[in-house]
Amino acid sequence: MSVPTLSSSSVKEAAAAVGFDACGIAAAAPLTEEEWGYDEWLRNGYQADMAFMEQHRDMRRDPSLLVPGAQSVIVVLLGYKPSQHMQGEARIAQYAYGEDYHERIKRMLYQLIAAIRQRYPDFEAKPCVDTVPISDKQWARRAGLGWIGRNTLLVNPSLGSYCNIGELVTPSPADLYDTPLENGCGDCRACADACPNKALTHSSIQAFKHSQIPLLDANRCASYHTIENRAETLPPDIHLSGYAFGCDICQLVCPYNQTAAVRYTLTDERKSQLEALADADPAAFRRATKHTALSRIRHTQWLRNRNQRET
Ligand code: SF4
Ligand code: SF4
């Protein structure tokens, strides 16, 4: 079986046909010091108690440890800006309004593999979406899909930071690789100024002066606390700003997100369902959150967050 060399344009056409909003291809050479930043993030303890983030460091940086002989990382984006916002007692981050992006992107990545195999029957690739140790934002940046903004997220010129990322790591080389875009944040610091917990100010802004890699201090971030923190109570000085799952404050103010294309239709029926979750009992919560990112938290966490949300 031979390893085919991929036509970059045909891979991108296939990605668009599958329904991805953007696709870029990066050479799979390990991330450089300048692109990395992960060790500094860990050294500062910004991962809080997410011990899993300390594992597979080498693999996150070098995809050939994930897929032997990896030559290319095909990166795809799926936008999620909703057509309207939910209201109500317990706010939910927008990325979690609809189907769990892990499930949706994984399904689409398999469709993309099948589509590429129509032209290259010997094509092999490993699909990745968050559950595999790979530094997705850094690979998206290298694949020319955007830059790492002061909000520490990938910012795509059309989708803003309202996009989820998936990858195919493959031993196939491509005939053309993409190159990173210039950082478009300029003098803007709206996200850092808007964060009620200064999770970006101390860490991100300093790092931003030196590299392309702003750092988020998870210890100060409401998104970390509402989702990953399993403690019975949350630190009293963490402001949740009405959120019971995640936090969008630093993204809502981003000028790129304000002009981003709507990519998800939040129906009135789903909106009502999300708004009713504030008072849902455990069974109703499980039913309404199945196959969504909300299923990552337990009902007890939901209640804890809801009760602390006004702070
Ligand atoms: S998600 Fe919320 S708490 Fe975390 S950095 Fe953004 S604004 Fe701050
Ligand atoms: S709000 Fe401004 S600084 Fe923050 S990510 Fe968006 S453009 Fe960059």
Side-chain angles (χ1 to χ4, degrees), residues 14 22 35 57 86 105 140-141 161 164 171 181 207 212 219 264 270 273 303 306:
E35 293 174 295
R57 253 193 279 184
M86 64 164 291
I105 291 182
R141 177 183 170 277
S161 58
N164 295 125
L181 302 181
Q212 298 287 337
N219 300 285
Y264 171 70
R270 179 64 182 157
Q273 198 180 34
L303 290 183
R306 190 201 65 178

Side-chain angles (χ1 to χ4, degrees), residues 3 47 62 71 84 88 102 105 108 116 121 132 135 148 156 163 210 250 261 263 265 269 286 294-295:
V3 175
Q47 74 277 29
D62 180 358
Q71 293 286 318
Q84 60 176 331
H102 298 92
I105 291 182
M108 291 171 71
I116 296 173
V132 170
S135 295
I148 311 294
N156 173 272
C163 53
H210 308 298
C250 55
R263 301 301 302 143
T265 301
E269 187 188 357
R286 266 198 306 280
L294 286 161
S295 63

Side-chain angles (χ1 to χ4, degrees), residues 147-155 161 183-192 200 205 208 250-257:
W147 61 92
I148 311 294
R150 277 197 178 88
N151 59 8
T152 75
L153 301 171
L154 181 83
V155 181
S161 58
N183 191 304
C185 284
D187 293 333
C188 176
R189 46 172 295 144
C191 49
L200 297 168
I205 297 302
F208 199 79
C250 55
Q251 296 196 80
L252 289 167
V253 296
C254 179
Y256 289 98
N257 287 340

Side-chain angles (χ1 to χ4, degrees), residues 176-228:
L176 192 64
Y177 288 110
D178 292 287
T179 50
L181 302 181
E182 278 202 16
N183 191 304
C185 284
D187 293 333
C188 176
R189 46 172 295 144
C191 49
D193 290 343
C195 175
N197 298 306
K198 306 293 178 214
L200 297 168
T201 301
H202 298 304
S203 49
S204 168
I205 297 302
Q206 286 310 312
F208 199 79
K209 286 179 184 163
H210 308 298
S211 71
Q212 298 287 337
I213 310 159
L215 305 173
L216 169 78
D217 184 356
N219 300 285
R220 305 279 329 146
C221 179
S223 187
Y224 158 77
H225 282 291
T226 56
I227 300 170
E228 303 294 342

